[in-house]
Amino acid sequence: MANYRRDRYKEAGVDVEAGYRAVELMKGHIARTMTAGVMGGVGGFGGAFELDLSDTPHPVLVSGTDGVGTKLKLAFLMDKHDTIGIDCVAMCVNDIICCGARPLFFLDYLAQHKNIPEKVAAIVGGVAEGCVQAGCALVGGETAEMPGFYKEDEYDIAGFAVGVVDRDRMVQNNAAPGDLLIGLRASGVHSNGFSLVRRVLDVEHTDLQRKVDELGMSLGEALLTPTRIYVKPMLALMREVAVKGVSHITGGGFYENIPRMLPADVHAVIERSRVPVLPIFTHIAREGDIPEEEMFGTFNMGIGMVLAVAPQEADRALAILEREGEAPVRLGRVEAGAGPVCIV
């Protein structure tokens, strides 16, 4: 490290020494994510990863990028920053697993008003935990201090994931009439719809620490519950069963996301009674007087991922998912004919 003064830069609001301290605090978290392909350590200009393609004759790289959206406002209000990084990883890796891709590595970008090393380490600790859950390496990132651009004590985070899948093993989105739709349970609101949540629950003027009986926890805890990461159970399933379509239920809920996994000449029929609606969604709907159709068009409602399998594979698929710690739901079926998602 160069030994010279940066007093004028610090007066402008950028504390380079705090950045160095933050990196030192991050290193332990990053070390948890190291996998066999990682080359080099923290601090280089690029993250290097050596690909082992011995079992992938026709490799296809699949990438995804996303952020956390206005869920960050809840982290600011609760002054809790150790889970928001899990959300950031989840939003990227849950997308690329829809193609059948195994996440290889992840990078994050954290921009903030002021670099507080302990806060940065907590955020990156969440990113590292998300990477551990997804089985990928945190190979690099960027921390930007931007005084005058972000409000004091506020920040934004985004991420980028790269995965690999053999061309012949990619999910083809070739579901056919009669196929079963299986749902994987969500942990909560995940990371979508928070502009509506914040408005209808008036979170800026609500005691987020007060326990809400129907939630079994405080409202703040329920809303900050991190997004579930489905990578490992889905990879286990795909090794044994031909999955014919996968949809990550994010913004746009059931109506927007499920059609993305289906051919144009079929549609999905969801049995409403089988959807395990979480208490947080009942609370949001009641407090905001939101019709159920709009709830299903905005939120995951308790189902974070939907997949299609042939009917003869259904029992086997459910058993594998249960073996992997999931509580899968027989959610509905695929029917002939173009059209919107039907919830009956």
Side-chain angles (χ1 to χ4, degrees):
M1 185 187 304
N3 185 23
Y4 57 86
R5 299 177 66 178
R6 301 178 178 84
D7 293 348
R8 298 302 296 273
Y9 204 13
K10 191 169 184 178
E11 288 170 7
V14 178
D15 187 346
V16 176
E17 298 299 325
Y20 294 145
R21 292 198 301 275
V23 170
E24 288 302 313
L25 291 173
M26 291 179 205
K27 286 183 177 179
H29 296 300
I30 296 170
R32 297 178 57 217
T33 76
M34 293 297 98
T35 60
V38 178
M39 301 175 65
V42 180
F45 286 100
F49 191 93
E50 182 179 11
L51 282 171
D52 178 2
L53 301 175
S54 56
D55 65 345
T56 313
H58 303 289
V60 176
L61 294 179
V62 180
S63 60
T65 186
D66 210 337
V68 181
T70 62
K71 185 174 185 175
L72 286 169
K73 287 285 189 180
L74 274 297
F76 305 156
L77 291 167
M78 295 283 287
D79 193 24
K80 180 174 171 56
H81 311 283
D82 58 344
T83 61
I84 210 74
I86 300 175
D87 291 295
C88 189
V89 175
M91 296 306 293
C92 298
V93 298
N94 283 346
D95 276 358
I96 67 174
I97 195 61
C98 292
C99 300
R102 172 175 58 90
L104 297 172
F105 57 82
F106 187 85
L107 295 96
D108 65 332
Y109 176 77
L110 175 63
Q112 58 204 315
H113 169 84
K114 181 177 177 59
N115 189 337
I116 302 173
E118 293 74 18
K119 180 186 286 188
V120 171
I123 297 166
V124 175
V127 174
E129 173 58 28
C131 288
V132 169
Q133 291 182 26
C136 64
L138 178 57
V139 297
E142 177 67 17
T143 303
E145 194 169 9
M146 301 168 65
F149 192 86
Y150 289 95
K151 293 181 180 178
E152 189 171 354
D153 295 328
E154 293 195 354
Y155 57 86
D156 197 8
I157 184 171
F160 176 84
V162 173
V164 66
V165 60
D166 189 81
R167 183 186 62 202
D168 296 334
R169 299 177 190 166
M170 290 186 72
V171 177
Q172 298 299 318
N173 291 342
N174 58 354
D179 286 347
L180 177 72
L181 296 175
I182 297 174
L184 300 186
R185 296 173 189 258
S187 56
V189 183
H190 285 184
S191 301
N192 304 100
F194 273 88
S195 293
L196 178 59
V197 169
R198 289 170 42 240
R199 179 175 182 179
V200 302
L201 299 184
D202 193 20
V203 296
E204 283 83 0
H205 303 98
T206 297
D207 181 3
L208 296 174
Q209 303 284 359
R210 181 178 61 83
K211 183 176 180 180
V212 179
D213 289 340
E214 69 177 320
L215 303 179
M217 62 186 76
S218 72
L219 180 60
E221 289 175 309
L223 294 175
L224 270 185
T225 300
T227 307
R228 287 200 62 209
I229 291 175
Y230 299 101
V231 169
K232 291 180 179 179
M234 286 300 299
L235 287 175
L237 176 65
M238 291 171 177
R239 282 193 290 268
E240 301 184 49
V241 170
V243 176
K244 303 177 72 174
V246 186
S247 177
H248 182 201
I249 308 302
T250 56
F254 282 50
Y255 293 114
E256 181 177 324
N257 289 293
I258 293 177
R260 295 167 66 184
M261 63 177 263
L262 299 174
D265 59 349
V266 299
H267 66 278
V269 177
I270 304 296
E271 296 181 38
R272 170 64 179 82
S273 62
R274 293 182 178 272
V275 179
V277 176
L278 291 169
I280 186 62
F281 296 115
T282 304
H283 184 80
I284 292 168
R286 184 182 65 248
E287 295 298 310
D289 192 25
I290 304 172
E292 185 170 87
E293 183 178 16
E294 185 173 354
M295 291 293 294
F296 273 92
T298 305
F299 301 107
N300 68 63
M301 298 299 285
I303 293 292
M305 187 157 279
V306 176
L307 57 114
V309 297
Q312 63 271 24
E313 296 270 41
D315 289 342
R316 188 175 176 212
L318 291 164
I320 293 167
L321 290 167
E322 289 171 357
R323 183 191 72 199
E324 295 299 316
E326 295 293 323
V329 178
R330 290 179 179 265
L331 199 61
R333 60 195 179 276
V334 177
E335 292 192 352
V341 174
C342 296
I343 299 178
V344 297

